[in-house]
Each structure stands twice: as structure tokens, then as C-alpha cells.
Amino acid sequence: MKKILLALTAVAAMTASASAADLASRPYTKAPAPLPVAPSWTGFYIFGGGGGGIWDADTGVQATVGGAPILGFNQRQGGDGWLGTVGAGYDWQLNQNWVFGVLADGQFGSLKGTIQDQGPFAAGNIKNDYSWAAGVRLGYLIAPNVLSYVNVGYSESHWKGTTLFSTITGTPIGLHTNGFDRGGVFVGSGVENNLSFFGVTAPGWFMKTEYRAAYYDNKNISELSDVGNISNGRDITFKPLVQTVTTSLVYRFNWSGPVVAKY
């Protein structure tokens, strides 16, 4: 009986040793890396950049008193130039794909063109030197760090006064126009993307490119004498459309890039 017990004990000991050896020889398998969590677009941002623009305006000539047309043929004048832009906004990410935000910005530069009155053969250079806008935007995330969007809102523009010259001789004719402000609506669209790519990490930094069209209200621009600032009874009607394309560097204060869980 003792011999049987000793034999069974030896067999059990050898089995346990073999099992331990098998366990020790198993290779270590690293846990799979957790999937990254998409960053949120909710938060405050600022931006600044530049670009170019064009404007065109339906123009005519009418009487200052009563508004009766003086010339039977209207024109479309235009201009172009460069501009800079600065602004700020706040976005809310509504779900996985949609982003809603508010924004405000200013544009400054030199979008220069001409206005004319064919009656006295007069023309002058007119310039949109700055404007500002406030509105809302709605965006769709085509990738976690790429936002395509449309925006709409109110804009107000400033136009500088002009000296009127003879279109025949190119010399001043003793008339000018004053500067003025004009308000209207704008619509636009653009794309904004994070600058982290090709192994370069730039948390918070983005670039956006935007097209915008601003439709401003009509203005009757009075022709005024250089002596006494008296009207000559003629107004140049002016209803401008300003179109711009800008590229801006954006900094989002809440952005930290994709967050990966750690163990």
C-alpha cells in the first residue's frame, strides 16, 4: 500500500512540474491598443489671414430731389484688390457629424474700382477699405479633423469718398463724393482642417479657406461741389456685391487632438 501511495505521489509531482513548465513557456501577448477617441469641435477659436476680392455694382444717375432718372442707360461698374481678415467664433459639436457655431470678423484692405456720371463726363476712384460681419455657420465633418461649412449673417462695409475727374482730360472737375457705410447680408462656404499631418503634431492649429459673397443695400451717392460742399443735383446710384476668397490660420483653444485611453 505504501509503495502504491509513493508511486501516485511521484506521478502527481511530475505532472505538476510539467504543467508549470508549459505555463512558463507560453509567449506574452500584448493587449490590443485602444481605439482613439475623436476630438470635439466644441470651443472658442480665433483666426487671421488674407486673400483677394472683387466687387461689382449696378449704377445709374438720378436727380437728387425726387429721384427721377437723368440718364436712360445704367451701367455695371467694378473693382478688385487685396484684403486681410481677423475674427473669432465659438462652435458646438451637435453629434458625430454636425457642428453649429457663431462668428464675427473684420476685413480691411483695398478693393478699388470706379464710378461714373456720363452726363458731365465725370469719373472717380472708389474703394471698399474695410467691412465687418457677424453670423452663424453650420458644418459637416467629412473627417474627424476636417470641417466643411456654410455661413450666413449681416455685414457692413465702408466706401471711401472720391474726387471726380473729367474722362476727357483726366483733370479734376471741382466735384467729389463723400464716404459712406452700407449694410447687407452675406453668405459663404469653406473648409477648415487641423494642421497635424505627415507626422507633425500641431494641436489647436487649423487652416481654413472661405468664399464669401456680401450683398449690400443701394446708396445714392451725391455729387458735391469742392467749394461749399453743395450738391449739383445729380446722384450716382450704387448697389454693390462684394466677393472674397480668404485663407486664415485658426487657433482653437480647447483642441488637444485625438485622445487615447491609457491603462
Side-chain angles (χ1 to χ4, degrees):
M1 189 65 177
K2 289 181 179 180
K3 292 181 179 180
I4 294 173
L5 290 174
L6 289 172
L8 290 174
T9 302
V11 171
M14 288 187 292
T15 302
S17 299
S19 298
D22 289 342
L23 288 172
S25 64
R26 290 179 182 175
Y28 171 73
T29 303
K30 186 178 180 181
L35 295 176
V37 178
S40 173
W41 284 73
T42 298
F44 180 73
Y45 65 90
I46 57 175
F47 64 88
I54 60 174
W55 63 263
D56 59 76
D58 294 325
T59 68
V61 179
Q62 66 181 40
T64 302
V65 178
I70 295 177
L71 299 178
F73 183 77
N74 291 335
Q75 298 184 73
R76 175 164 290 184
Q77 302 292 326
D80 57 21
W82 62 272
L83 66 139
T85 181
V86 293
Y90 194 94
D91 286 329
W92 293 268
Q93 184 164 350
L94 304 178
N95 54 37
Q96 183 177 354
N97 296 112
W98 294 98
V99 175
F100 173 80
V102 295
L103 63 102
D105 59 41
Q107 296 182 344
F108 53 91
S110 178
L111 303 183
K112 184 186 292 186
T114 59
I115 54 175
Q116 294 188 30
D117 180 351
Q118 304 95 323
F121 300 104
N125 294 320
I126 188 170
K127 181 169 68 175
N128 173 206
D129 56 349
Y130 64 84
S131 62
W132 63 267
V136 298
R137 74 173 181 172
L138 179 65
Y140 182 82
L141 291 169
I142 57 179
N145 62 346
V146 181
L147 178 71
S148 62
Y149 65 88
V150 295
N151 53 20
V152 64
Y154 176 82
S155 178
E156 187 162 307
S157 59
H158 180 262
W159 301 80
K160 297 192 72 173
T162 71
T163 296
L164 295 179
F165 294 84
S166 168
T167 58
I168 300 174
T169 65
T171 58
I173 62 173
L175 295 172
H176 68 275
T177 66
N178 290 336
F180 60 91
D181 296 321
R182 222 67 196 138
V185 298
F186 78 86
V187 293
S189 63
V191 176
E192 183 176 335
N193 61 280
N194 183 238
L195 292 179
S196 296
F197 53 86
F198 298 129
V200 178
T201 301
W205 290 102
F206 286 70
M207 182 172 64
K208 71 170 182 172
T209 297
E210 179 180 312
Y211 163 81
R212 182 178 294 183
Y215 300 85
Y216 294 112
D217 297 334
N218 183 72
K219 169 65 177 178
N220 295 336
I221 307 173
S222 295
E223 301 175 24
L224 305 172
S225 171
D226 292 345
V227 179
N229 207 40
I230 301 171
S231 171
N232 69 348
R234 303 169 73 94
D235 287 354
I236 300 172
T237 61
F238 186 76
K239 185 175 177 60
L241 161 65
V242 179
Q243 301 179 78
T244 59
V245 176
T246 57
T247 296
S248 300
L249 191 62
V250 183
Y251 184 75
R252 306 185 72 89
F253 288 91
N254 67 309
W255 189 275
S256 60
V259 178
V260 179
K262 296 182 180 180
Y263 295 100

